[in-house]
Each structure stands twice: as structure tokens, then as C-alpha cells.
Amino acid sequence: MRFLYMPLALCLLARLGNAQVITDSVSAPAPGLGRTTAATPKKSMFAPSDKPSFIPVPIAFYQQETGFAAGAAILPVWRFGTDTTVRKSNARLIAWYSQEKQSTIQLTHTIFTPGEKYFFTGELSRYDQKLFYYGLGNDNSKDNESELAYTLIIFDQKAMKRVAPNLFAGVRYRFTNTTDIEPQGTADNGASNYFTRDPRLTDRERQDTRISGVGPALLFDGRDNVLATYRGSFVDAHALFNGDGIGSDYKFTRYQVDARHFRPLFGSNNTILALNYLGSFHSGTVPFRELGGLGANLGGALYNNAGLMRGLYETRFRDRQMMTFQAELRQKLFWRIDGAVFAGAGQVGYKLSDYALDQTRYAGGAGLRFRFNRRDRLNIRLDYAGGTDTAPSIYFAVGEAF
């Protein structure tokens, strides 16, 4: 999704990023007693320095499809208990409403329980907005650009138990409901809206669609910090089996692997190399909304909140089999400001055998990071990026791209 955000007041953000909500509980004296006795304070589930803050942060932006929009984000970060070897949990609640009466409400979370015995991550979101549709496949045409509005509800949850240090195993359930599908206007070349005539779409796919899938999940998470990693590796693998037995309109299977590696360069944490590979592979009958997509910024929990190939428009290329690789170099600059340069390459196809080296799609750019919360390494990022058949745009987001 292409974003052009208004500048935020960095001084205000710096204040909010340092704000803490810390209270001590002291009981009132018992009625009838002549002297006041302080009761034992209630034991908190958080260390005093690790309590979450729920102060909202304002956001505002403009994009071609929505016009001007405004909203707020709440970004609590916390650690359960006082054991500092337990990694911090976090959540993100982002909501906005646009000039064109479109809206988004997205809640994502990543939770480590005390002792990291269990790990939970997921999303509950509602999108009511308009995006451009270009067609399916790795070689669609920009001339087919057509506006498509729909409402999308997502519930995605993984519940996992630690089976070895940094290794978790469990189950994943994902539900999506796409309704109010409405192609609007004509294609970019003046022809009829391409969504209504794309030969690879069935008439059924142009109607409301409910997808429900469940399957096993395996996670190795050796990152030192899940918000802005300095060192460590992350590998998430899962399979989702979607079928009518669990309420899905389509029967298909998704196999997905998300691998990331982070390492400091030059002997300090001032320069970080971040690498990411993601492969999403499907069998069965897959509706267009569930295909793997390059240029995914609305992936949410599906792609572990990663932005895939910034510079490409939202799912600019989509198909049954998708692979992408991206690298980013993150550099400490001054005060709370960091810089980054990044590049990505990827491809989609109906079958893996359709892949060809000369059909690789590319994206890349550079950006700045503002350390909104220094204690927890929570960044707000502003990137300028472009890619294959996509003009450069400004992207704004909370947290690193991966």
C-alpha cells in the first residue's frame, strides 16, 4: 500500500516514547482504627520498568485510493515477570478513517509467557478500503490497473509450547472473510475494470468468500529483540489445511517458510545486516485474496508482520507459488535517528517450474528510523522505495519491516 504520511512531531513522540505508567497499590486504613497502617503492596505481574504504556500516537496520511486519512496507534511493550532473560511481548492497535469513508482497525500481538513456556502471536483486523487490482501472475500489465473495494475480516492465531531452547511447536488457525467486493471505474487503459474480466478469475471468486484453515506450526526464535533485532535467527514454518469441514468456501493447502537472520557488522550494534527469505506455496483451489503476493504490507500475522519487497504496490504480483528474498542494512546515525537501505527480489508463478531468472521482480529504497521507544527498541520508519512497474512512493509504518 502506498503511503504519504504527514511529518509527526518528533519531540512529542520522544516524550510519549519515554512515558511510563507506574503505580503502587496501598490499601486504605481499616475503618475504626486510630492509626494508619500501610498494607503490603499488591504484587505486579510486571517489573516496574517493564509495564506497558497505552498512550495513543496520532497518525495522518494521504494515498491515491483513500484521500486524506487520520487515526491513532497504541503500542504497548511489556515483559511478564522480572526475569530479564524472557523476551518482551508487544501489541499494536492501529485504527484510521479516510476522506473516502474507508477504514482500518488492526490488532496484532506477540506474547511470551513467564519463562517463555508458551508463545502466542496473531491478528484480529478489519479492513474496509480500496486497492488497485492488476490481475494474477508474474507478468500482468500496469494498463490493467483497476480499483477494487472490499471488506476483509481476519482472525489469525498461533498457540505454541516451548519444546527446546528457542524452539516452539503448536497449532495455527486462520480465518478470513471477504465481503462487499465491488470493482469501481475502468482500467487504467480505459477498458472495463479488469477484475470483471480477468480470465484467471472464476465467477465464484468475484463473490463473498470465507476461508478457514488449521494446521501445525513450528518456530525457532533466537532473536535478541522481536521489535528491532540486533542478532539472532528466526525460522517460522507452518501448514494450513483449508476445507469445508471447518467452514471454508475453498479447499486448498498452504505451506509457508519465513527465515530471517540478523548480525552486527564492524564489531558493534551501530550497523546491522538483516536478511529475510519467505516462500509461500499452495495446492488446491486458491481464491485470489489468498494467493501469495509480492509487495505485501497488509500481510499482518500471515507474514509475521513483515513488509515484503517495499517499493512494489500491495500484492502487485500474486499467484499460487511465491518466493522472495530481501536484505536491509541498518545504520545508527544520531540521537534517536537511524538510517536504512534495502533491496528485494522475488517471483510468483502458477507452478514453480514457471519461474525464470529473467522474470525476477525487484524493489528497493532507503529510509529513516525514529526510535520512538528507546527502552524497547520500538521504531517508527519512513521509507522511500520503488520497484518493478511501480513508481517510487513514501511508506510509513510502526516497527521494522522484518
Side-chain angles (χ1 to χ4, degrees), residues 169-192:
V171 64
R172 180 174 198 158
Y173 174 75
R174 181 173 174 86
F175 170 87
T176 65
N177 191 32
T178 307
T179 59
D180 304 320
I181 301 173
E182 183 184 356
Q184 298 178 351
T186 62
D188 193 52
N189 60 6
S192 59

Side-chain angles (χ1 to χ4, degrees), residues 142-159:
K142 192 175 186 305
D143 289 340
N144 292 332
E145 180 181 280
S146 301
E147 291 186 352
L148 179 65
Y150 56 82
T151 299
L152 174 65
I153 294 175
I154 297 175
F155 174 77
D156 191 330
Q157 181 65 59
K158 281 193 299 188

Side-chain angles (χ1 to χ4, degrees), residues 42 54 57 105 111 159 177 210-212 231 295 311 361 374 390:
K42 290 182 179 179
F54 296 94
V57 179
I105 301 176
I111 297 174
N177 191 32
R210 181 169 55 245
I211 302 299
S212 178
R231 55 179 52 81
R361 304 309 180 201
R374 285 185 293 189
T390 306

Side-chain angles (χ1 to χ4, degrees), residues 312-371:
L312 289 184
Y313 186 76
E314 179 76 26
T315 58
R316 176 64 180 82
F317 303 97
R318 64 174 108 195
D319 216 323
R320 290 160 56 89
Q321 321 304 339
M322 181 264 283
M323 287 194 291
T324 179
F325 174 82
Q326 56 185 340
E328 181 167 289
L329 194 64
R330 301 168 183 170
Q331 177 64 47
K332 174 69 176 177
L333 296 179
F334 61 92
W335 188 51
R336 298 181 180 220
I337 306 298
D338 297 345
V341 293
F342 50 89
Q347 195 166 157
V348 300
Y350 187 82
K351 300 176 294 184
L352 288 177
S353 58
D354 294 336
Y355 280 27
L357 185 61
D358 62 358
Q359 291 297 304
T360 303
R361 304 309 180 201
Y362 300 96
L368 295 173
R369 307 289 181 267
F370 173 69
R371 185 60 56 91

